Amino acid sequence: MSPRSASVNEELRRRSRERLLQAAVELVGEHGYEATTLGDIADRAGSARGLVSYYFPGKRQLVQSAVHRLMHRTLEEALEREPRTDDGRERLARAIDAILGLARDRPVLMRQHMAGLLQAEGLVPCPDQRRLSELLGDTVARYGSHDVRADYPLLRALLMGAVYAALVPGVPMPIPTLRDELFKRYRLDWELGVPPGAQTAEGQCEKDLSRFFATEERGAAR
């Protein structure tokens, strides 16, 4: 049997990493961070335990990377859905609704993510975190910001604060109220984005997250 080519090995490694990211999001969302072990994640992904350490320094880094992937792809999907638009106000409304939607639909996962950001290591940079930042920065720019370097961190802080407020155990704030405050802050019309009524009709929490994690061979779906 001839040895696998470098390109085949690279593709197998990429797919293994994607499966680990998807498994981490699923398991933490189902059971919480503390109850999920690296062994559980490897088993769900169908990977050897040693592969987790090969790709990620530890569980915190793996889970942060996985949640940033989900956030990045959720935001990207919201911004590019039909009808596609370059209108900055509509795109900002979609961005707000996408992030608040994650808090609504995946409270366990997002609560664990927010708690992880408060740990000693804080934010762990990764490609998906950078892409998430780029998408939000572009959204701020299209909205009409004259100083994206100042306005993007403010939007990020407001979104994080809203997610935190929605997920505080025992005293959560209603997401429609948080949405209303953010829309007032940015002078957005209520009907932009995905209003709460439309969310009820469309916004069923999907259990299948595979579209956010490219575990198939590249080009297979083309």
Side-chain angles (χ1 to χ4, degrees), residues 178-190:
L178 295 166
R179 179 186 193 267
D180 188 53
E181 286 301 310
L182 286 168
F183 271 46
K184 287 178 180 176
R185 167 68 177 75
Y186 287 101
R187 297 184 175 87
L188 301 174
D189 297 331
W190 178 88

Side-chain angles (χ1 to χ4, degrees), residues 46 61 155 200:
Q61 290 84 350
L155 173 62
T200 301

Side-chain angles (χ1 to χ4, degrees), residues 140 144-156 185-186:
V140 169
S145 168
H146 299 294
D147 188 357
V148 174
R149 293 182 64 182
D151 292 337
Y152 156 66
L154 178 58
L155 173 62
R156 180 183 63 196
R185 167 68 177 75
Y186 287 101

Side-chain angles (χ1 to χ4, degrees), residues 1-214:
M1 181 182 294
S2 59
R4 291 195 296 254
S5 67
S7 61
V8 169
N9 285 329
E10 179 184 358
E11 178 66 16
L12 291 173
R13 287 193 294 268
R14 182 193 66 79
R15 292 164 67 182
S16 293
R17 187 178 186 278
E18 293 287 311
R19 285 194 295 269
L20 290 169
L21 290 171
Q22 182 175 343
V25 161
E26 291 173 349
L27 286 168
V28 173
E30 293 166 11
H31 307 295
Y33 180 82
E34 296 299 336
T36 299
T37 69
L38 288 175
D40 294 333
I41 294 171
D43 289 344
R44 173 71 66 91
S47 300
R49 171 65 177 78
L51 276 179
V52 182
S53 300
Y54 176 80
Y55 293 117
F56 303 97
K59 186 169 74 165
R60 183 70 63 191
Q61 290 84 350
L62 166 55
V63 172
Q64 269 205 36
S65 295
V67 177
H68 281 136
R69 165 63 64 83
L70 179 62
M71 294 176 71
H72 150 214
R73 291 288 175 83
T74 297
L75 177 58
E76 186 174 62
E77 186 175 82
L79 292 174
E80 298 306 317
R81 75 166 185 268
E82 297 295 338
R84 298 184 67 176
T85 179
D86 290 325
D87 180 78
R89 292 165 56 79
E90 169 64 20
R91 290 178 71 86
L92 180 56
R94 290 185 184 189
I96 292 170
D97 284 334
I99 301 303
L100 290 180
L102 286 171
R104 179 192 66 236
D105 296 338
R106 308 192 186 278
V108 174
L109 181 68
M110 294 305 291
R111 188 178 294 119
Q112 299 295 329
H113 179 61
M114 296 299 292
L117 294 177
L118 297 176
Q119 299 298 312
E121 61 267 34
L123 181 68
V124 179
C126 67
D128 283 292
Q129 183 271 326
R130 288 191 289 272
R131 181 58 180 148
L132 177 64
S133 297
E134 290 169 0
L135 286 172
L136 286 174
D138 178 69
T139 299
V140 169
R142 294 189 191 213
Y143 173 72
S145 168
H146 299 294
D147 188 357
V148 174
R149 293 182 64 182
D151 292 337
Y152 156 66
L154 178 58
L155 173 62
R156 180 183 63 196
L158 290 170
L159 288 172
M160 290 177 66
V163 170
Y164 177 84
L167 298 176
V168 175
V171 288
M173 288 195 66
I175 284 179
T177 300
L178 295 166
R179 179 186 193 267
D180 188 53
E181 286 301 310
L182 286 168
F183 271 46
K184 287 178 180 176
R185 167 68 177 75
Y186 287 101
R187 297 184 175 87
L188 301 174
D189 297 331
W190 178 88
E191 63 270 15
L192 295 176
V194 185
Q199 290 171 0
T200 301
E202 302 175 9
Q204 302 299 320
C205 179
E206 296 183 52
K207 293 184 179 180
D208 183 8
L209 300 175
S210 59
R211 71 185 186 280
F212 296 128
F213 302 90

